[in-house]
Amino acid sequence: MNSVFLQCVVGVICLILLPAQAQETPDSQQPLRFEGYPGVPEFEVVPRKDELFFYPCGQCHEAMEPNPEIRTLNTMHDAEIEHGRGRIWCLSCHNLENRNYLNTLLKELVDFDEAHLVCGGCHANRHEDWYFGAHGKRVANWQGERTLYNCTHCHNPHSPAIKARAPKPAPPVRAGLKLEPGIKHERSAVWDAQEEHEEQ
Amino acid sequence: MVVIRFIFDSVREMFRGPREYWMWLLALSLVVLFGAWRYSEQITEGLVVTGMSDQVSWGFYISNFAFLVGIAAAAVLLVIPAYIFDRKDVKDVVLVGEGMAVAAVTMAILFVIVDLGRPDRLWHMIPGIGRFHWPVSLLAWDVLVLSVYFLLNLAIPFYVLYSRYRGKEPNFRLYFPFVVIAMFWAISIHTVTAFLFSANPARPFWHTALLGPRFIASAFASGPALIIITLQIIRKLTSYHVSQTVIDLLALIMTTALQISLFFVGAELFTDFYNEGAHAASIHYLFFGLGGFSSLKAWIWFALALNLTALVILMIHPLRQRTVMLNIACVMTFIGIWIEKGMGLVIPGFVPTPLGEIFEYAPTSVELSVAAGIWAFGILVFTLVAKAVIAIEQGKLSCPPEEQRYTL
Amino acid sequence: MSNNTGSGNGGGKFDQARRNFLRGIGIGTAAAVAQPAWGGQTFQDTFADFFQKDYRRMSVDEIEAALERIERKAEARYDVEIDCQNTPPQPGVVYGYAINISRCKGYRDCVHACVKENNLGRDSQMQYIRVLEMDQGDFNLEHSDHYYEPETVPVEGKHYLPVQCMQCDDPPCVKACPVEATWMEPDGIVVVDYDWCIGCRYCMAACPYWARHFNWTVPEIPAEEMNTNTHYLGNRPRPRGVVEKCHFCIHRTRKGQQPACMEACPTGSRIFGNLLDPDSAIRYVLANKQVFRLKEDLGTEPKFWYFSD
Ligand code: SF4
Ligand code: SF4
């Protein structure tokens, strides 16, 4: 483990985690560090904060009155949250008192660099897979130091489904030959029957 | 030395003949040269000048190869009656059959060589300096059995002819063991060639235990067809005696073999189509087309029609005994099997690909020209060999004992 | 097999003779080395190329010499300085690959990353990876579309299946090769010695996954697109007339890097690792997911798994 990582860990641990109702001085709080499942190989997470456009959020929010009322925002943030099918809203994940942190459903503080801890609150199975490398992406190597992309690197938390986009070009055939168009791709007859049934 | 004189005399005999004979040799040589010229194109450009692709990675060359190994194996149909049943009439022509085997094996080997991407690396196969992946690779097996068969078919006739040349009867005890080996070897070359295909579970169309028997049956139909016609040509053009009983015998063998061969085809069709699974896709492509592609359909039905008609002719005795009808049946069988066991067998193995892609293949003019060149070369080899064989067998070419004293 | 010992001895003798001969030629043509002939190659190189032994029988020095020739040839042919290495397999490592097909969206990013990484001929149009599009509820490869080109993927009602060399543990392609030009390395990667392959294409017929591809023509790669980090058994420029295939990016993975397809995958569907390491991601997948392999019934024992979650 390199020293940068150690410093990060130490730094994170230094922030004391307190129950949500006891939060007073944000800087002395310790955000959640979920140590994960037994046997999880060591890893570090690609930091995320420096990629965030508005961060630190406190810059603006410090001057604003916290408003816990569930509502649709008509500000510079995403108005529609295509996530959770209406069961969550901003403050499900963002901390009310300290906007520079996220929080879990239990209102435990979470650093933006450790956003996966928030996601894992609901998506526990995915989260576990992510720890072990079966979900998400690892950076550059398969051996040696294990660096993982955070959930939020790939999924926009406000609209996490991966968007459809154009595929790269279809395969060519070997030089000098050409693909005859019009292959009729058959498919299982069951599906034709099903479609017919739906049309009726 | 008498051997050198024997070889010298034989070669001289090969190039002696009337004008028509020379024209024939010349015509064949021209085709060979043309093929060689087109092959040089393939050498400089690469196999990209053929119609083959990653999807259909073997084509016309390997199709001809598979067929020709069968023709080579069919020589055994003369060897067995001649040497085992000691039939005098067959013995007279058995050397012609073996000459045909030599020519067919030569063609088969040439077809494999032109199919190679790197013919310059052929030496990699030589055990010792190269790596010969025997006995694991079926292709290594095929190379082995074909080369040995080639040598056997050179050695036995060489010995027999050489004895005749010296005015002696060949020592039966000496060559009989080799004849027995050659017999089994003939079956083995074609079986191994069939196994070369059927060893691949990746290609369900080939992956059937019936392929070996099917190969043998179709070889024993197409081979005699070719021999019958060749023998008649020899009878017509030379004074060499070819007994009608030989032709009758071959016609009978051919009838039986064709029946069995068609029965096997029927068995394949039934197994694949009764409960048509994914494995039947290739045969479906062959007979009915697949996904809108059906370039082999017309050919295979044509082949089937030829074979069936030939079979009908052959099975009706009065028809079979009429030379013209027999010849028609022979030509039909030859072409029918050539399609069925050539392109009809090799190409569908690749369509659809193991990933289910349908991509068609058609030989290019380079492939057709090279193939024509190789066929012409084979016919040329056969003509020359047959010429010498006939001369020696007729006693025109000999070196009687009294002369041998003066020969070093 | 007696064949093996026989070839060993014969090889030794031939070797000696060849080395002597080469030395002779070396002296004779030392002056001519700089002059390109024989299609941009020196006579000496051409000669040495022709008599080059197969990879597994070359001595360390011979491999070194071969690597240098490869670099010279690339320079002559593509006008690029490449670095051709011979990174050995790591002990205690056998590679395995798994794809989460419920994540795969059919973008084909892996396909094109592979083309770039592995110096695949741009005009010969070869690709190691095929992504198949199939109807949901259907897993019949014969119903698959290889050439799908919709506006956007994934298309509703379709699912995608990327296929490449499975690095079978019992590879039929290796059995097929008549000259042992293809074999399985100790780390489980099935490789081809492009300088030993005779181009018979029997291995292509034998592979049940359509993973092998043939150089129908000389692969053309623009100089600026050439990946100069190469490996003898991997992505070095290939000659015409030989077979090649996916090699799990041998030049990267043996140094601990991910295969290019895995790195390129935007959805993280691809999971690669050491099958012998119980803590590896691939082992986690095998232990915790319902995995399957393509055409398992053929007994090829692919080291390439699929799963969905
Ligand atoms: S997938 Fe094909 S090429 Fe790859 S190891 Fe298996 S048989 Fe060989
Ligand atoms: S094409 Fe090359 S690797 Fe494949 S079987 Fe032939 S010689 Fe071996």
Side-chain angles (χ1 to χ4, degrees):
Chain A
M1 220 185 299
N2 73 11
S3 56
V4 179
F5 179 47
L6 268 180
Q7 281 163 18
C8 291
V9 173
V10 173
V12 167
I13 290 172
C14 282
L15 302 167
I16 308 155
L17 170 70
L18 290 174
Q21 62 272 30
Q23 288 162 18
E24 280 169 16
T25 47
D27 286 340
S28 61
Q29 289 168 0
Q30 182 190 33
L32 183 66
R33 166 107 191 145
F34 182 62
E35 285 306 336
Y37 302 84
V40 169
E42 278 175 24
F43 68 97
E44 58 182 284
V45 183
V46 180
R48 180 77 183 130
K49 281 192 290 229
D50 40 357
E51 295 169 23
L52 296 178
F53 187 67
F54 291 128
Y55 190 83
C57 312
Q59 288 176 107
C60 305
H61 280 276
E62 250 156 37
M64 293 154 74
E65 184 67 19
N67 178 0
E69 192 190 322
I70 296 178
R71 62 195 189 281
T72 303
L73 299 184
N74 290 315
T75 59
M76 42 212 328
H77 299 297
D78 296 331
E80 286 298 322
I81 297 175
E82 291 164 344
H83 190 176
R85 309 212 170 131
R87 278 168 294 186
I88 59 171
W89 82 294
C90 311
L91 295 184
S92 306
C93 305
H94 291 274
N95 191 270
L96 176 68
E97 277 86 29
N98 189 342
R99 284 300 154 88
N100 289 340
Y101 288 91
L102 301 164
N103 61 218
T104 66
L105 290 175
L106 297 174
K107 300 295 170 219
E108 301 150 312
L109 277 198
V110 172
D111 192 275
F112 271 89
D113 282 346
E114 303 277 345
H116 65 92
L117 293 170
V118 178
C119 312
C122 299
H123 307 281
N125 288 346
R126 288 273 181 275
H127 198 203
E128 182 176 1
D129 281 352
W130 176 84
Y131 273 113
F132 287 97
H135 185 97
K137 265 182 86 68
R138 178 174 176 172
V139 182
N141 59 0
W142 64 268
Q143 195 178 33
E145 219 162 83
R146 199 161 86 104
T147 313
L148 302 179
Y149 285 109
N150 224 320
C151 310
T152 46
H153 275 105
C154 305
H155 300 277
N156 174 354
H158 302 153
S159 172
I162 302 285
K163 304 293 170 296
R165 68 159 163 86
K168 289 266 168 67
V173 289
R174 87 139 166 78
L177 296 180
K178 59 178 188 303
L179 194 66
E180 282 129 288
I183 300 182
K184 290 189 221 78
H185 282 284
E186 293 175 25
R187 61 174 182 173
S188 307
V190 220
W191 302 107
D192 293 334
Q194 192 201 38
E195 251 169 39
E196 271 165 36
H197 177 76
E198 273 160 16
E199 274 162 24
Q200 280 162 16
Chain B
M1 287 236 292
V2 189
V3 178
I4 295 179
R5 194 178 146 175
F6 166 65
I7 294 174
F8 180 75
D9 276 356
S10 311
V11 172
R12 202 172 53 187
E13 174 61 27
M14 286 177 186
F15 294 100
R16 205 160 45 193
R19 233 184 82 160
E20 291 78 16
Y21 179 69
W22 272 98
M23 294 305 284
W24 171 241
L25 291 190
L26 190 71
L28 287 174
S29 312
L30 283 179
V31 182
V32 172
L33 281 178
F34 176 69
W37 172 60
R38 292 312 296 272
Y39 181 60
S40 73
E41 206 171 301
Q42 185 185 311
I43 286 285
T44 45
E45 300 292 315
L47 282 163
V48 70
V49 296
T50 68
M52 290 182 275
S53 55
D54 282 355
Q55 284 86 348
V56 184
S57 48
W58 280 344
F60 199 55
Y61 294 152
I62 296 294
S63 306
N64 276 293
F65 158 78
F67 176 75
L68 280 165
V69 175
I71 298 292
V76 76
L77 295 178
L78 290 177
V79 170
I80 294 178
Y83 297 116
I84 304 292
F85 301 127
D86 208 18
R87 276 193 44 174
K88 176 76 188 61
D89 51 345
V90 184
K91 251 186 182 165
D92 284 342
V93 296
V94 67
L95 292 180
V96 174
E98 289 179 304
M100 189 178 281
V102 168
V105 175
T106 312
M107 285 189 268
I109 292 177
L110 283 177
F111 268 115
V112 173
I113 291 178
V114 296
D115 187 64
L116 289 183
R118 300 299 301 224
D120 54 323
R121 294 181 183 167
L122 253 184
W123 67 270
H124 291 181
M125 272 209 192
I126 303 171
I129 58 169
R131 286 184 91 123
F132 191 56
H133 201 193
W134 187 84
V136 176
S137 167
L138 257 304
L139 204 54
W141 270 97
D142 219 2
V143 169
L144 179 78
V145 292
L146 278 180
S147 340
V148 172
Y149 190 67
F150 183 74
L151 292 179
L152 281 172
N153 275 294
L154 274 184
I156 299 172
F158 187 89
Y159 172 69
V160 173
L161 289 173
Y162 181 51
S163 306
R164 297 264 157 78
Y165 178 75
R166 289 189 305 168
K168 290 187 192 166
E169 262 310 297
N171 183 350
F172 183 71
R173 291 228 176 128
L174 198 66
Y175 72 83
F176 185 70
F178 290 97
V179 169
V180 175
I181 296 176
M183 251 163 50
F184 286 101
W185 215 272
I187 307 293
S188 86
I189 58 166
H190 214 35
T191 313
V192 169
T193 306
F195 285 180
L196 184 83
F197 292 100
S198 69
N200 297 303
R203 313 277 170 182
F205 181 65
W206 299 338
H207 188 56
T208 153
L210 201 52
L211 203 67
R214 223 182 115 186
F215 263 43
I216 301 283
S218 59
F220 286 179
S222 57
L226 185 61
I227 299 175
I228 289 173
I229 292 182
T230 316
L231 288 181
Q232 288 181 49
I233 294 174
I234 289 175
R235 186 155 67 178
K236 198 150 212 157
L237 295 182
T238 70
S239 55
Y240 192 61
H241 175 69
V242 177
S243 162
Q244 183 60 31
T245 50
V246 179
I247 292 180
D248 290 345
L249 174 72
L250 286 172
L252 203 65
I253 295 176
M254 183 179 151
T255 313
T256 320
L258 194 57
Q259 284 167 340
I260 298 177
S261 172
L262 279 166
F263 169 67
F264 284 165
V265 172
E268 282 293 3
L269 286 171
F270 169 77
T271 315
D272 274 337
F273 282 118
Y274 182 73
N275 260 332
E276 201 183 329
H279 286 191
S282 294
I283 204 164
H284 200 117
Y285 166 72
L286 179 62
F287 280 91
F288 303 108
L290 199 64
F293 296 109
S294 56
S295 61
L296 286 180
K297 190 165 109 183
W299 288 96
I300 195 69
W301 286 108
F302 178 55
L304 212 56
L306 286 178
N307 285 343
L308 280 170
T309 321
L311 187 62
V312 171
I313 297 176
L314 288 171
M315 279 168 63
I316 301 173
H317 282 258
L319 278 183
R320 186 178 71 227
Q321 271 143 8
R322 284 179 51 196
T323 313
V324 185
M325 290 316 279
L326 178 63
N327 286 346
I328 292 176
C330 283
V331 172
M332 283 178 155
T333 309
F334 187 81
I335 298 176
I337 302 280
W338 181 72
I339 297 171
E340 184 206 305
K341 195 159 82 185
M343 296 276 279
L345 181 99
V346 175
I347 310 305
F350 294 98
V351 186
T353 69
L355 298 188
E357 183 185 351
I358 304 164
F359 192 79
E360 292 209 292
Y361 161 84
T364 60
S365 74
V366 174
E367 280 170 285
L368 297 176
S369 319
V370 172
I374 293 175
W375 275 97
F377 185 76
I379 299 172
L380 190 64
V381 166
F382 176 75
T383 310
L384 295 175
V385 170
K387 183 81 177 5
V389 165
I390 289 168
I392 295 169
E393 288 275 81
Q394 281 183 325
K396 280 189 205 154
L397 212 61
S398 67
C399 181
E402 56 274 16
E403 270 179 47
Q404 284 172 23
R405 246 179 300 146
Y406 307 109
T407 320
L408 265 183
Chain C
M1 267 129 271
S2 62
N3 179 35
N4 285 350
T5 41
S7 57
N9 296 339
K13 258 185 256 133
F14 174 71
D15 233 35
Q16 198 46 49
R18 195 182 71 112
R19 238 176 259 142
N20 293 344
F21 190 8
L22 282 185
R23 209 170 293 143
I25 291 278
I27 298 162
T29 54
V33 170
Q35 292 163 17
W38 297 70
Q41 266 183 280
T42 59
F43 172 72
Q44 199 186 17
D45 272 4
T46 311
F47 189 84
D49 269 351
F50 184 79
F51 284 110
Q52 183 177 314
K53 278 185 293 185
D54 72 292
Y55 179 81
R56 283 179 294 170
R57 278 205 307 223
M58 275 195 271
S59 68
V60 179
D61 291 345
E62 283 167 330
I63 290 189
E64 260 327 300
L67 294 178
E68 277 164 25
R69 280 200 302 279
I70 288 167
E71 288 168 4
R72 279 200 292 276
K73 257 186 290 179
E75 174 109 52
R77 201 165 88 195
Y78 298 103
D79 199 18
V80 199
E81 232 172 83
I82 64 163
D83 174 24
C84 189
Q85 296 174 342
N86 184 35
T87 322
Q90 299 184 21
V93 173
V94 169
Y95 297 111
Y97 215 144
I99 292 191
N100 186 344
I101 45 174
S102 45
R103 299 275 149 262
C104 178
K105 305 279 182 242
Y107 295 145
R108 291 205 189 96
D109 283 9
C110 51
V111 178
H112 291 267
C114 167
V115 167
K116 282 215 181 77
E117 179 68 34
N118 288 311
N119 293 324
L120 293 175
R122 303 298 196 271
D123 64 335
S124 57
Q125 312 276 33
M126 190 194 293
Q127 293 176 350
Y128 288 167
I129 308 175
R130 266 283 154 103
V131 185
L132 315 188
E133 185 187 68
M134 281 176 279
D135 280 331
Q136 250 154 25
D138 197 344
F139 208 85
N140 186 343
L141 301 188
E142 270 149 29
H143 298 168
S144 68
D145 187 355
H146 296 225
Y147 300 95
Y148 64 88
E149 254 188 328
E151 294 272 290
T152 60
V153 284
V155 176
E156 213 189 316
K158 304 274 186 192
H159 69 102
Y160 300 86
L161 181 82
V163 185
Q164 65 206 76
C165 173
M166 310 269 152
Q167 316 297 349
C168 308
D169 218 35
D170 195 356
C173 56
V174 168
K175 268 164 112 182
C177 181
V179 294
E180 300 184 57
T182 182
W183 68 94
M184 188 161 71
E185 283 280 283
D187 52 8
I189 304 182
V190 176
V191 293
V192 183
D193 182 347
Y194 313 120
D195 289 337
W196 192 254
C197 168
I198 59 173
C200 66
R201 307 192 294 292
Y202 191 30
C203 53
M204 293 175 76
C207 171
Y209 305 99
W210 199 66
R212 294 187 155 250
H213 304 273
F214 186 72
N215 285 288
W216 301 98
T217 172
V218 184
E220 280 312 327
I221 307 141
E224 65 279 4
E225 283 178 37
M226 175 78 82
N227 178 3
T228 56
N229 166 23
T230 67
H231 191 286
Y232 182 97
L233 298 171
N235 61 341
R236 66 178 161 112
R238 267 83 63 192
R240 181 224 288 154
V242 302
V243 156
E244 61 179 273
K245 63 184 256 308
C246 159
H247 41 77
F248 275 7
C249 279
I250 200 165
H251 56 292
R252 296 166 60 100
T253 46
R254 281 190 175 176
K255 293 189 207 146
Q257 289 169 291
Q258 290 174 6
C261 47
M262 176 171 175
E263 197 166 39
C265 178
T267 64
S269 310
R270 290 170 168 265
I271 291 143
F272 180 85
N274 180 7
L275 287 173
L276 302 185
D277 172 8
D279 294 332
S280 63
I282 181 85
R283 283 285 292 273
Y284 175 83
V285 168
L286 298 191
N288 291 284
K289 302 288 172 189
Q290 253 69 290
V291 297
F292 69 93
R293 298 182 284 182
L294 274 194
K295 308 196 184 192
E296 212 168 17
D297 48 330
L298 300 185
T300 51
E301 299 293 341
K303 294 196 284 291
F304 201 102
W305 287 265
Y306 296 92
F307 69 102
S308 57
D309 60 8

